[in-house]
Amino acid sequence: MNFDANNQPYTSNRITLSAKNGVVCASNALASQAGLDMLKKGGNAVDAAIATAACLTVVEPTANGIGGDNFAIVWINNHLYGMNSNGYSPYEISLEKVKINNDTMPVHGWTPVLVPGAPKGWASLSKRFGNLTLLECLQPAIDYAQNGFPVAANVAKMWEKAFNRNLILYGNKLEFEEWFRTYTFDGRAPEAFQIIKLPNHAKTLKLIGESNGDEFYHGELADKIEEDSICHGGYIRKKDLEDFETSWVEPLSINYRGYDVVELPPSGQGMVALMALNVLNNYNVTERNTEYYHNVFEAMKIGFADGIHYITDPKMMTINHKDLLRPAYGQKRYKQITEKAQIFTEDNPYQSGTVYFCSADKDGNMVSMIQSNYMGFGSGIVVKDTGISLQNRGADFKLDENHINCLAPHKRTYHTIIPGLLMKDDNCVGVFGVMGGYMQPQGHVQVISNLIDFNLNPQMALDCPRWQWMKEKQFVVENTFDNNITLGLISKGHEITIAPDNIIFGRGQIILKLDNGAYAAGTESRTDGNIALY
């Protein structure tokens, strides 16, 4: 039987689901099921998150890969932990070298590739918190890569888009040959539900699992990354990989109407969401009307104005980031909002590829985790014979020596991927996240407001029509957004356009802990999202 997997003529309403012994939410059903398998084997929420993360590099390579980064907020044994596993720029790169042939930081190729953090993140989480071995957690991903899996409908659509772009831009360039060799089948992108195999990916995951990640940073895989980098004029060397470690960090939070909203500190942009909520805290929400959206829009722009100006590698920030989250500062910024739309920044956020997933187990442990290659397949670079698709996170560096986020050796850039967690009375009550580059803090603000200001259940908090700030006074809204409110916002000076599809509005997951000890979960209706229950 044949049919068009992306033909959706009717509205399909998902409902919030619940379970007692564990939940895994991910943007792909095979990945969430892999996480659930770990829970059933005696693993905890961390084991489930690692299995899901690894599986997503196989079944959703359009958004993340072995050569990406990841971040996690972990609530385990009644304690809160933060992990940043994002790499820095190579020792050999410099502003002067890149500026010889570029006016802005390149988006694709070897130049924007930073040290990948994902494998080290998996290994660090497993070593510190896991009940199972890293190899056990990676086994479902290895099996799918080796034996084959059907490509999900939305993934196929994103894959085709990336293929068409890469064919036009890079089809005849030697450094991108391995991408076409790895990710095309009979010379094209896979169709929805086509069964494909990624054998090199499977071999690499097995090496990572057997060595607890060491092969990637110290062994055979590190050698192959260096060899390929040198061959194509890249800057990464084995020394960069050998020196990399994940960072265990103190999460940041603000209290929003009785709940503590938790994000990770810089160089991630979680602070942007917190700064916007810190401003919005001063507005009394009564109903979902034009005034509400006007205030949220302006608060979001203020958050980005400060975030883009200050956030970079924490070692190089010029201020204490906690000062930006003080209630008094939020109140001061709120007073700058007027009845008309204003321009708070000239930066132009753009979309990207990321996967967010979350897990919970029978003991109340919860993990909020996110992983990304940045812009879809990332740099477009796949390391020869390994299946390692490398991120292009360095594209966010600036080539302006006066900018806080200026390119420099061994430096972390402003990072877009952010997991979220919700607490009340010093206990974790939920994990959440929304993927999509600069959409992420905007998605966090919208989801938190939906949950707290409007008391929506997890699924409805995700399905509520979304908006996205682009630049200056420009916003894009979904075609389901209230037209009367749109007209009201236009009258206040906002420039509103309706998006032709919903792909730019992110893809989220939520798990909330109920008072009776069970969990309630929602998963993104804008993608192939799935909830696995135990």
Side-chain angles (χ1 to χ4, degrees), residues 1-291:
M1 180 180 293
N2 296 314
F3 54 86
D4 184 352
N6 292 304
N7 182 22
Q8 300 274 104
Y10 310 114
T11 300
S12 178
N13 290 321
R14 298 183 181 184
I15 60 173
T16 295
L17 301 179
S18 183
K20 179 183 177 183
N21 294 321
V23 180
V24 183
C25 294
S27 53
N28 184 282
L30 298 178
S32 56
Q33 187 62 50
L36 187 70
D37 288 345
M38 298 305 106
L39 295 180
K40 291 185 174 182
K41 287 183 65 171
N44 58 24
V46 171
D47 297 308
I50 295 168
T52 303
C55 198
L56 283 165
T57 69
V58 178
V59 300
E60 198 171 328
T62 52
N64 75 131
I66 300 172
D69 295 326
N70 56 29
F71 296 77
I73 306 176
V74 179
W75 175 261
I76 191 165
N77 300 325
N78 295 316
H79 286 87
L80 185 66
Y81 302 87
M83 185 200 74
N84 288 355
S85 198
N86 61 308
Y88 38 68
S89 56
Y91 289 116
E92 292 201 5
I93 204 169
S94 71
L95 179 65
E96 292 73 25
K97 289 178 182 178
V98 175
K99 286 184 73 172
I100 291 173
N101 296 312
N102 302 279
D103 294 325
T104 59
M105 192 67 182
V107 171
H108 296 105
W110 276 95
T111 300
V113 175
L114 308 187
V115 174
K120 182 76 78 170
W122 303 338
S124 298
L125 287 168
S126 179
K127 181 179 179 180
R128 187 165 188 176
F129 302 120
N131 289 346
L132 307 175
T133 68
L134 181 59
L135 182 59
E136 285 178 290
C137 293
L138 268 52
Q139 194 59 52
I142 294 169
D143 290 342
Y144 283 128
Q146 183 66 48
N147 302 316
F149 65 94
V151 177
N154 276 287
V155 171
K157 185 162 56 174
M158 291 186 286
W159 208 316
E160 183 179 22
K161 184 177 180 180
F163 168 73
N164 291 334
R165 179 202 64 203
N166 287 358
L167 188 64
I168 294 170
L169 297 178
Y170 312 116
N172 61 350
K173 294 188 177 181
L174 189 62
E175 63 185 314
F176 297 98
E177 275 188 354
E178 191 70 10
W179 186 91
F180 288 96
R181 188 177 295 117
T182 302
Y183 290 120
T184 61
F185 305 85
D186 296 325
R188 64 178 189 272
E191 297 177 353
F193 312 134
Q194 180 179 340
I195 295 175
I196 65 167
K197 298 178 181 180
L198 299 171
N200 286 337
H201 200 118
K203 293 175 186 176
T204 291
L205 286 175
K206 192 169 187 291
L207 283 173
I208 291 171
E210 290 173 340
S211 66
N212 289 313
D214 284 348
E215 279 293 331
F216 191 93
Y217 296 92
H218 301 275
E220 174 187 339
L221 297 173
D223 290 333
K224 289 184 176 181
I225 292 171
E226 178 180 74
E227 180 183 343
D228 227 21
S229 177
I230 292 172
C231 178
H232 297 293
Y235 296 99
I236 282 190
R237 300 294 183 266
K238 191 173 183 179
K239 172 68 172 171
D240 297 304
L241 299 162
E242 290 173 334
D243 288 354
F244 176 72
E245 294 292 341
T246 55
S247 300
W248 294 99
V249 297
E250 178 188 357
L252 301 174
S253 68
I254 66 155
N255 188 275
Y256 185 73
R257 313 195 200 283
Y259 290 86
D260 292 318
V261 182
V262 181
E263 302 274 358
L264 292 173
S267 61
Q269 65 173 345
M271 276 186 59
V272 172
L274 295 184
M275 288 187 287
L277 289 171
N278 195 32
V279 173
L280 194 60
N281 246 334
N282 297 278
Y283 173 70
N284 182 29
V285 177
T286 56
E287 60 180 305
R288 194 184 295 276
N289 55 17
T290 298
E291 281 300 317

Side-chain angles (χ1 to χ4, degrees), residues 489-517:
L489 290 167
I490 291 172
S491 73
K492 287 182 172 292
H494 298 283
E495 299 169 11
I496 311 289
T497 57
I498 299 173
D501 56 45
N502 59 17
I503 198 168
I504 71 165
F505 295 102
R507 301 170 295 146
Q509 324 289 336
I510 300 173
I511 302 175
L512 297 183
K513 189 180 296 182
L514 303 177
D515 292 341
N516 64 4

Side-chain angles (χ1 to χ4, degrees), residues 458-478:
Q459 190 60 53
M460 290 299 98
L462 290 167
D463 286 349
C464 181
R466 289 199 187 134
W467 49 266
Q468 182 176 178
W469 173 70
M470 304 306 289
K471 66 176 182 178
E472 300 174 346
K473 300 179 183 180
Q474 298 175 19
F475 284 81
V476 178
V477 299
E478 289 190 280

